[in-house]
Amino acid sequence: MKSSNWLIPTGLVLLAAVPVAAGSLRLAELAGGPATIADSDRVTSAPVALALHIVSVTVFSILGAFQFAPRFRRRNRGWHRAAGRILVPCGLTAALSGLWLTLFLPPGTHDSGALVVIRVVVVAWMGAALVRGFVAVRRREFARHRAWMIRGYAIAMGAGTQAFTNAAWLAAVGPLTTTGRTATLTAGWLINVVVAEWIIRRRRAAAGPRARVAPGSVPSVP
């Protein structure tokens, strides 16, 4: 395979590296290890939901990245289908556990009411995108399946982008405030949504009037 085939999945894995590392530290805390990340007492008060969220979103983000290696995907169609059967349940688990944590954990130091509402909208959008993507592939509407799965994956990768928006705020303004936390987290999700829509429209333009993929083919992304 040409190395360019792996540029996108490699970049996505690197984007997921910071939240995956943070999630690993949280799991270590839940297993009895020392608290190494701020806000431990609050978030670890719901260990089952937290563990489900961390594990499911980690699998979804890392495994999903390899759906974006086109040459590998085309040559391993069985793998693509098998991965999809793992990705959809993991994505829905990540969305539902994220919703539970948002609604039932006490708010963090810099969590505003607006941020809670935004999080509910984000996880609802992610869950709806995955369900619509699943329904579309069952109907063999592969282009529609591809678009909705890109949208769902983009939302899940928000935490990776938020590492950069948080860093930008710290560099430009200073320590995070309530306003800053709301702004940086929202910006991370919005950036991913915009990029996802740009990719979807670019693919549609390249495909022309075709709305479906020929029977027997495999959708090109998760």
Side-chain angles (χ1 to χ4, degrees), residues 12 23 30 81 83-84 86 99 106 119 142 144 188 208 212 222:
L12 292 172
L30 292 176
R81 295 188 186 97
I86 297 171
L99 180 62
R119 280 174 164 157
F142 295 126
R144 187 167 296 174
R212 297 168 67 97

Side-chain angles (χ1 to χ4, degrees), residues 59-143:
V59 173
F60 187 76
S61 58
I62 299 299
L63 183 60
F66 293 95
Q67 301 287 66
F68 290 87
R71 195 182 300 269
F72 173 78
R73 189 182 57 246
R74 285 193 298 268
R75 294 180 178 178
N76 299 272
R77 293 182 176 183
W79 181 90
H80 178 80
R81 295 188 186 97
R85 293 186 181 101
I86 297 171
L87 287 168
V88 171
C90 281
L92 290 174
T93 300
L96 291 173
S97 57
L99 180 62
W100 194 98
L101 292 168
T102 296
L103 294 177
F104 296 107
L105 277 185
T109 305
H110 297 303
D111 285 352
S112 65
L115 181 57
V116 171
V117 173
I118 291 167
R119 280 174 164 157
V120 170
V121 172
V122 164
V123 296
W125 175 252
M126 176 179 168
L130 296 176
V131 169
R132 294 192 71 168
F134 175 77
V135 171
V137 79
R138 297 293 295 176
R139 294 175 176 172
R140 302 186 70 78
E141 297 173 346
F142 295 126

Side-chain angles (χ1 to χ4, degrees), residues 191-202:
I191 289 168
N192 284 15
V193 167
V194 169
V195 171
E197 293 303 321
W198 175 77
I199 292 170
I200 291 165
R201 280 159 177 72
R202 184 183 178 191

Side-chain angles (χ1 to χ4, degrees), residues 133-191:
F134 175 77
V135 171
V137 79
R138 297 293 295 176
R139 294 175 176 172
R140 302 186 70 78
E141 297 173 346
F142 295 126
R144 187 167 296 174
H145 163 73
R146 180 166 57 246
W148 282 111
M149 296 305 286
I150 288 174
R151 292 177 177 120
Y153 186 79
I155 290 294
M157 295 296 285
T161 308
Q162 286 157 359
F164 293 96
T165 55
N166 284 337
W169 179 279
L170 291 172
V173 180
L176 281 177
T177 60
T178 299
T179 299
R181 180 166 170 78
T182 301
T184 56
L185 295 188
T186 303
W189 284 310
L190 283 176
I191 289 168

Side-chain angles (χ1 to χ4, degrees), residues 35-49:
T36 55
I37 306 179
D39 212 19
S40 294
D41 290 342
R42 182 182 71 90
V43 297
T44 56
S45 63
V48 175

